[in-house]
Amino acid sequence: MAHFTYSRLSHFLKLSVNKVSVVRAGPEIQHVPGCCVQSIRWQRSVDSKTLQERQRQQMARGLPKQKPISGVKQIILVASGKGGVGKSTTAVNLALGLSANDSGNYTHTTSRKSKYWIKSFRFCSSGHWIVITHLDIFLLYIFINEQQNHFLFIFQSKSVGLLDADVYGPSIPKLMNLKGSPDLTDNNLMIPLMNYGIPCMSMGFLVDEMAPIVWRGLMVMSAIEKLLRQVDWGELDFLVVDMPPGTGDVQLSISQNVPVAGAVIVSTPQDIALLDARRGAEMFNKVHVPVIGLVQNMSVFQCPNCLHQTHIFGSDGAKNLALSMGVHFLGDVPLHLSIRETSDSGKPVVVSAPDSPEAEAYKRLAAAVVQRLKQLHS
């Protein structure tokens, strides 16, 4: 038996109203004056509109009300229609890039060595450089060159969190080099695990690393609700959510339960990936989540020997798709060995090689996301 959707029911009601042009009386059909027919049609049209409005109110009453996450200002979803396009890697480096792009730089020198990420209030020296790092709500780096008496201060004023919503295949623990179970506050809220200044929460912290998660939809929805509501996120300017691939229950649940600032769609330039990227963008449009823009991942490969560039997955596919859909194009991320190596080792390229072209690509992406958010919510 076919189920009535709201649109089908409305269409059925309209057809029922429009077909009434005569009035039956006994075995014969008696035609009535045109003014009476118009009056009947108008009355039934009013009744139909009233019924439709009542149904619309009932449907809206049945949907969950969006409730903000305590302490979180803006939620950014990183999604893809298809798996294997680098969505999780993009989400991690985007979160770190949002932190890096919100830094204020005060320096008396033009040269410095790579940053070292040290746990709270520990000290490390490399040659003539001493690094002091406080990984908390804000970060403060002090680089001191004893010979040249040069100083570099970097102060990060924004706070960014990272939520792994891919219950079946969590990647954040590996990418962020985090292990262990979260502690609980006095209010029984989970305390996120932290690395590189980013508080993180994932289903991977709650189950064994090698254990498969074989759950039905309702259990997954319950887990997502706990990851959203029962975590002590503190005060965050941005919460970056690494979404599972596709357009399923998790996407619908998060979009309807929390106010989302916008969604970033990740795709390769390949045609088969772009088909699913379009579906992902259309899904967010249907649930009234603003699409911040499209990211073209693995856009070009540059040979490390001859520096020749090859577009392995095609050229400008995501850019052309964004143009055809009227969606903003956020930028390209190259296909590079260092991105893969740093991700597998749990040292994302934005923090392990902050001055590299690959890290700069993610920082440009983060800057584009911030700019688009200002435009969308201005």
Side-chain angles (χ1 to χ4, degrees):
M1 181 179 178
H3 294 283
F4 267 120
T5 63
Y6 177 75
S7 59
R8 286 181 181 176
L9 182 59
S10 300
H11 183 64
F12 176 77
L13 291 173
K14 289 179 181 178
L15 288 178
S16 301
V17 171
N18 292 336
K19 283 182 179 179
V20 179
S21 59
V22 295
V23 177
R24 293 182 180 271
E28 298 182 356
I29 300 176
Q30 296 181 356
H31 291 270
V32 296
C35 60
C36 295
V37 172
Q38 295 296 329
S39 176
I40 293 172
R41 287 179 177 174
W42 178 82
Q43 181 63 39
R44 294 193 177 184
S45 176
V46 172
D47 293 341
S48 175
K49 291 180 180 178
T50 303
L51 177 61
Q52 291 177 21
E53 181 62 28
R54 189 176 304 161
Q55 290 170 341
R56 188 178 294 109
Q57 292 175 358
Q58 291 176 350
M59 290 176 66
R61 195 180 302 124
L63 292 175
K65 293 184 179 180
Q66 290 185 338
K67 181 180 178 183
I69 300 176
S70 178
V72 177
K73 294 181 180 179
Q74 291 185 304
I75 300 174
I76 302 173
L77 307 184
V78 180
S80 65
K82 181 180 289 295
V85 297
K87 167 184 56 62
S88 296
T89 302
T90 301
V92 167
N93 284 285
L94 172 61
L96 294 165
L98 288 170
S99 298
N101 278 345
D102 284 319
S103 300
N105 295 281
Y106 308 90
T107 178
H108 300 286
T109 181
T110 58
S111 63
R112 63 179 174 88
K113 295 188 177 181
S114 299
K115 287 188 280 189
Y116 288 79
W117 296 84
I118 314 300
K119 293 183 179 179
S120 299
F121 299 111
R122 292 190 179 182
F123 299 86
C124 176
S125 62
S126 175
H128 297 292
W129 292 79
I130 300 175
V131 184
I132 304 173
T133 311
H134 176 204
L135 297 184
D136 201 346
I137 296 301
F138 56 87
L139 309 180
L140 176 63
Y141 304 96
I142 305 177
F143 297 85
I144 306 173
N145 186 307
E146 295 176 345
Q147 287 186 343
Q148 300 179 10
N149 195 27
H150 286 170
F151 299 85
L152 171 64
F153 297 90
I154 301 179
F155 178 74
Q156 175 188 320
S157 59
K158 296 291 184 180
S159 54
V160 183
L162 186 58
L163 171 61
D164 190 351
D166 194 346
V167 174
Y168 293 116
S171 302
I172 298 304
K174 175 71 172 178
L175 291 168
M176 292 293 286
N177 194 26
L178 288 169
K179 291 183 179 180
S181 301
D183 296 326
L184 296 178
T185 67
D186 295 336
N187 297 326
N188 287 326
L189 297 178
M190 292 181 288
I191 301 176
L193 275 65
M194 184 176 290
N195 200 8
Y196 311 127
I198 305 293
C200 305
M201 181 52 63
S202 170
M203 182 57 64
F205 301 148
L206 307 177
V207 298
D208 186 75
E209 183 178 3
M210 303 304 295
I213 299 176
V214 188
W215 288 352
R216 294 186 183 274
L218 289 176
M219 295 182 67
V220 174
M221 296 303 99
S222 177
I224 291 296
E225 181 70 15
K226 286 179 171 58
L227 292 175
L228 287 171
R229 305 291 183 190
Q230 297 184 15
V231 176
D232 184 11
W233 289 108
E235 297 295 327
L236 295 179
D237 294 289
F238 301 106
L239 177 62
V240 177
V241 182
D242 179 23
M243 302 287 284
T247 56
D249 290 339
V250 174
Q251 286 82 355
L252 187 62
S253 179
I254 292 179
S255 301
Q256 292 180 342
N257 280 279
V258 295
V260 178
V264 175
I265 309 296
V266 181
S267 178
T268 63
Q270 189 178 7
D271 289 345
I272 194 69
L274 294 172
L275 290 174
D276 292 324
R278 177 186 287 272
R279 294 188 184 99
E282 293 293 350
M283 185 273 297
F284 284 117
N285 286 330
K286 285 189 175 182
V287 295
H288 307 294
V289 171
V291 177
I292 298 174
L294 267 68
V295 179
Q296 185 165 258
N297 198 27
M298 309 181 197
S299 59
V300 63
F301 172 75
Q302 180 173 287
C303 176
N305 297 321
C306 66
L307 303 182
H308 175 73
Q309 292 189 344
T310 304
H311 295 86
I312 296 176
F313 296 105
S315 176
D316 293 335
K319 184 181 294 185
N320 294 332
L321 175 62
L323 183 63
S324 67
M325 295 184 65
V327 176
H328 195 77
F329 180 69
L330 297 173
D332 297 280
V333 177
L335 176 63
H336 200 280
L337 181 62
S338 67
I339 297 178
R340 197 274 302 168
E341 289 179 337
T342 56
S343 298
D344 287 347
S345 63
K347 301 175 182 177
V349 68
V350 170
V351 295
S352 59
D355 297 325
S356 66
E358 298 76 48
E360 291 299 328
Y362 285 116
K363 291 177 184 178
R364 287 194 298 270
L365 167 62
V369 168
V370 172
Q371 184 63 30
R372 280 291 295 153
L373 286 174
K374 291 180 181 178
Q375 294 173 358
L376 289 172
H377 300 283
S378 60

